[in-house]
Amino acid sequence: MNEALPDVPEVRVVGLPQLTSGFDLVERLDLPMHLKVHGPLEPLAGEQLAQLAEAINLKGRGGAGFPFHKKLRSVAESAIKRGVRPVVVVNGSEDEPACRKDTVLINRAPHLILDGALLVAEALGARTLVVGVTRESTQRSMEAALAERGLSNGRRSALKASVQRNPIRMVTGAAASLIRSIDGGPAIPPGRKISASKSGVGGAPTLLSNAETFAQLAIAARIGPERYGNTGLYDEPGTVMLTVSGAVARPMVIEAPTGVPLRYVLQLAGAPPVPQGVLTGGYHGKWIDAATVSEAIISRNSLDAVGGTLGAGAILPISQETCPLGESLRVAQWLAEESAGQCGPCYLGLPAAARGMEDILNGGGPAALEALKQVAKNVKRRGACSHPDGSAMFLESTIKAFTDDLAAHVLGNGCGRPVEGVLPLFEDGKMPTGIPGGEPAETGDSRQKIYVDWTLCRGHGLCADILPEVFELGADGFPTVAQAKVPRYAEAKALRAVRRCPALALRIEEDTRPQAPARNLPVLSQGRGRRALGR
């Protein structure tokens, strides 16, 4: 099984380095070394900066791929119209277990990121700069970089600069989550979609972009659009930062020009010569099958054309020896745990989708497949953030990419291959938290049992809405169980279900019998790296 990736894995470069210049000299480029390697940087006026970003076709490198020049002009127009100073936010909240490229840049080249952010702040007339991070190492590196430049959050500072540390959660990386946390709230989406360019930090127009995006802007501002365009593809010039893990001999971060064949990048990391499939873009990404891998090149347009996605720059191959549906189930379960728990399509739909994938693996047949397709369809475009959309895309891609394995599980007795657990999931060896604040979730059964009094139950179905972990409704509209243990994490919801039952047909009792010693039940089939996890 793959262990969690370190904050700073091995770094390689294809061709000449740009973002990773100087990495062969020192582990971290402090300000003097940064200036020796990259040289000084002159400020640019707002429209000059927008034209530069447009000339190099710079798009956000955090996954969404929104054109940077449009975001820059939108913030400027909104700030002028309202007569307020905008805010600049660097999003370094890299919270996917399979992504490390922004973490590498913050830890090893923080001043390159700050160069780009300060260019934007100067061009927009911003007086506030915030760098969002989620790891101790990135917090230390960025705070040191601000101190090296004499930047602080003091009252007399011309530019107030600070680092915002949030918990490591999938939803923390959403722009709305970061803005909410900067304003003093929890680092989860606010439940409503508002453009940061119009109203972001403190209600001011806010330019928020990914850490790599600012670093790319700094490179382009130094060397100019023509020289920048000499690297990579004509329509997507420059380099990209990729995190390659999964079934590889050496997980690494790679800086590569656009246009490099995907198979070459995989070869650098020691991937199988003929992988069964490759997950592109991370856990909100898409699978491409073995036949497609040889056609793909590293670029946003190319990967889109073959059914993949560049996304957050994560590339994860799996070998022929593992069950791809089983690997995807582990990711689906993690995605469900990472819900902010605020909207039904996410905190109800994603666990249901994971259970649907599990039903397929357990012999549920065509009915289980159809149920999974329906759940994935229902969660899309209905959440408070992009987490349910990205998770549904991942599940739908799994079904589409591995048709032979899907047929073996749906129509036969399974593919017969073990689940090796090659896709990295857990941070620091810990289970996913499952709690918006980032505290460890309580797992397992509590000592509570919930009972249905059939003499009172009228089939309102409210219990299944509030407590889907325990209750499902049968064809007649009544619960399918009369009594059940309550999971520890769902105790509060169980109490709410009892209180809200219109017929007063539910009750909770404590189980006073001695509990048997806890057992670790294996969740993976026998194979390389088998690991037992408490259920």
Side-chain angles (χ1 to χ4, degrees), residues 5-21:
L5 295 177
D7 279 10
V8 183
E10 178 184 353
V11 178
R12 298 284 297 274
V13 61
V14 178
L16 296 176
Q18 290 189 358
L19 303 181
T20 58
S21 292

Side-chain angles (χ1 to χ4, degrees), residues 7 54 75 83 101 129 211 220 232 239 254 270 272 278 315 375 407 493 507-508 513 524:
D7 279 10
E54 187 172 11
V75 172
K101 51 104 173 174
L129 167 64
T239 64
I254 300 175
V278 176
I315 305 292
V375 170
K493 289 201 289 183
R507 74 179 190 277
I508 290 177
R513 293 175 298 174
L524 306 182

Side-chain angles (χ1 to χ4, degrees), residues 266-289:
L266 294 173
Q267 181 183 350
L268 272 182
V274 183
Q276 183 175 189
V278 176
L279 180 59
T280 60
Y283 295 157
H284 278 177
K286 297 180 180 180
W287 289 100
I288 58 177
D289 59 26

Side-chain angles (χ1 to χ4, degrees), residues 153-167:
N153 200 27
R155 290 184 178 180
R156 297 183 179 180
S157 301
L159 173 69
K160 293 185 176 182
S162 61
V163 176
Q164 174 71 27
R165 170 87 179 272
N166 290 324

Side-chain angles (χ1 to χ4, degrees), residues 320-338:
Q320 299 282 351
E321 286 73 42
T322 190
C323 172
L325 300 186
E327 297 288 349
S328 296
L329 171 62
R330 295 176 65 247
V331 175
Q333 291 170 334
W334 180 81
L335 290 169
E337 286 280 349
E338 288 297 291

